[in-house]
Amino acid sequence: MNNLSKPLMIVLSSPSGAGKTTLSKKIQQSDNSFKISVSHTTRKARANEVDGVDYHFVTKEKFKQLLSEDAFYEHSEIFGNYYGTSKSSVNKIIKDKYNVLFDIDWKGAQQLSGYKELNLLKIFILPPSKKELEKRLVARNQDDKESIKNRLFAYSKDIEHSNEYDHVIINDNVENCFNSIKKIISIRLNT
Ligand code: 5GP
């Protein structure tokens, strides 16, 4: 918890495949004052993903029902699926006196920015280039060709929003990128 006794809320956004999920997990492992906000999604689980850990995987019907109940702080439609941050899971993290880490897109970051009372720190992660991003998406072997094409198409749109963030970091090397983020967090926690 920072010295304002308000939880620090770090938003990590990036074009898909820039390494943000790995970075979020590394931040949480290195600093146990942080908990990752587990989002709801209508996307199908990937082979290595666990329900309730990586995401709460729900049907479109269930997501729409939660939306109608005003259950989300923010939500977004990405590549034909819905993603959202539920109020109850974030409130639980805050109640337990942890800082919060969000792995969400720029549309979600814009919505969270609308809550002026939040102690937000917004970081945008960029891959070194579009070519490198394509290589990573192919290498991680999680998405079919169509999905990779969509993610590359979204890249140019996504990076237009990088100027809405407090910091932009290029992930050319995970360790270097992680160390830069750690430095930024530590400055913010100690001011
Ligand atoms: P993926 O399907 O690769 O796990 O995630 C696709 C995109 O959805 C990523 O950019 C990720 O940051 C974003 N995302 C994941 N959860 C949420 C959420 O709850 N809200 C928003 N706005 N974006 C999310």
Side-chain angles (χ1 to χ4, degrees), residues 95-126:
K95 191 165 154 274
D96 293 343
K97 304 227 177 307
Y98 287 100
N99 295 310
V100 194
L101 197 56
F102 297 94
D103 170 345
I104 59 177
D105 77 339
W106 59 266
K107 286 173 260 172
Q110 281 185 348
Q111 291 166 59
L112 287 188
S113 301
Y115 295 89
K116 293 297 174 214
E117 68 280 16
L118 300 184
N119 184 19
L120 278 185
L121 173 61
K122 295 184 288 179
I123 303 175
F124 197 86
I125 314 287
L126 276 177

Side-chain angles (χ1 to χ4, degrees), residues 108-178:
Q110 281 185 348
Q111 291 166 59
L112 287 188
S113 301
Y115 295 89
K116 293 297 174 214
E117 68 280 16
L118 300 184
N119 184 19
L120 278 185
L121 173 61
K122 295 184 288 179
I123 303 175
F124 197 86
I125 314 287
L126 276 177
S129 65
K130 192 168 178 180
K131 198 84 219 131
E132 179 60 31
L133 179 68
E134 183 173 4
K135 255 171 55 190
R136 288 183 194 177
L137 286 171
V138 171
R140 76 176 184 180
N141 202 20
Q142 285 177 345
D143 307 287
D144 57 31
K145 277 199 178 133
E146 186 62 22
S147 177
I148 290 179
K149 212 173 96 193
N150 288 338
R151 282 163 198 266
L152 287 171
F153 183 70
Y155 167 81
S156 318
K157 191 103 210 90
D158 288 345
I159 61 172
E160 278 174 22
H161 293 274
S162 57
N163 63 358
E164 295 163 12
Y165 287 72
D166 301 306
H167 300 271
V168 179
I169 302 175
I170 296 175
N171 184 9
D172 49 1
N173 168 292
V174 176
E175 281 311 315
N176 292 346
C177 185
F178 172 58

Side-chain angles (χ1 to χ4, degrees), residues 41-51 54-58 142:
T41 184
T42 61
R43 164 169 82 57
K44 279 213 192 89
R46 298 182 181 126
N48 58 341
E49 289 179 326
V50 178
D51 187 28
D54 298 284
Y55 281 105
H56 299 289
F57 293 98
V58 292
Q142 285 177 345

Side-chain angles (χ1 to χ4, degrees), residues 21 24-25 28 34-38 93 99-103:
T21 308
S24 312
K25 288 189 176 151
Q28 188 180 33
F34 280 97
K35 285 253 189 261
I36 297 176
S37 155
V38 179
I93 297 175
N99 295 310
V100 194
L101 197 56
F102 297 94
D103 170 345

Side-chain angles (χ1 to χ4, degrees), residues 12 14 16 20 39-40 43 46 49 55 74-76 78-79 83-85 103-105 107-108 140 151:
L12 282 188
S14 73
S16 178
K20 181 183 32 160
S39 299
H40 282 64
R43 164 169 82 57
R46 298 182 181 126
E49 289 179 326
Y55 281 105
E74 63 75 32
H75 67 279
S76 183
I78 306 166
F79 312 125
Y83 294 79
T85 300
D103 170 345
I104 59 177
D105 77 339
K107 286 173 260 172
R140 76 176 184 180
R151 282 163 198 266

